[in-house]
Amino acid sequence: MKMTSPSDLAELGTYFGYAPTALLERSPWFRQGEALFAGGFVPAPSLLKVRARLTPEGGGDVRVPLR
């Protein structure tokens, strides 16, 4: 997701060596829904865009009966 701090990006590069520096450096310009995926769950580091959600926003209060 979007990261703008140069020191945070450098630290991420240290911990996540499988994410190329060139891709990490692009993250300050990510727009909403854009992300960098890297690691064992993708074949290669990839920039991607997440589509709109399919389900309606949930949540709400649950009624609790008074005793």
Side-chain angles (χ1 to χ4, degrees):
M1 305 298 175
K2 185 174 183 177
M3 297 287 292
T4 56
S5 168
S7 60
D8 288 345
L9 289 169
E11 191 165 342
L12 281 174
T14 300
Y15 287 110
F16 302 108
Y18 40 74
T21 304
L23 291 180
L24 285 172
E25 289 173 348
R26 293 177 62 179
S27 67
W29 294 277
F30 285 2
R31 289 178 280 169
Q32 185 173 1
E34 295 178 335
L36 166 61
F37 278 17
F41 59 96
V42 291
S46 307
L47 295 176
L48 61 106
K49 182 166 179 130
V50 180
R51 292 179 50 189
R53 65 184 300 145
L54 298 176
T55 58
E57 182 71 34
D61 291 338
V62 177
R63 288 188 46 103
V64 177
L66 297 174
R67 291 185 186 202

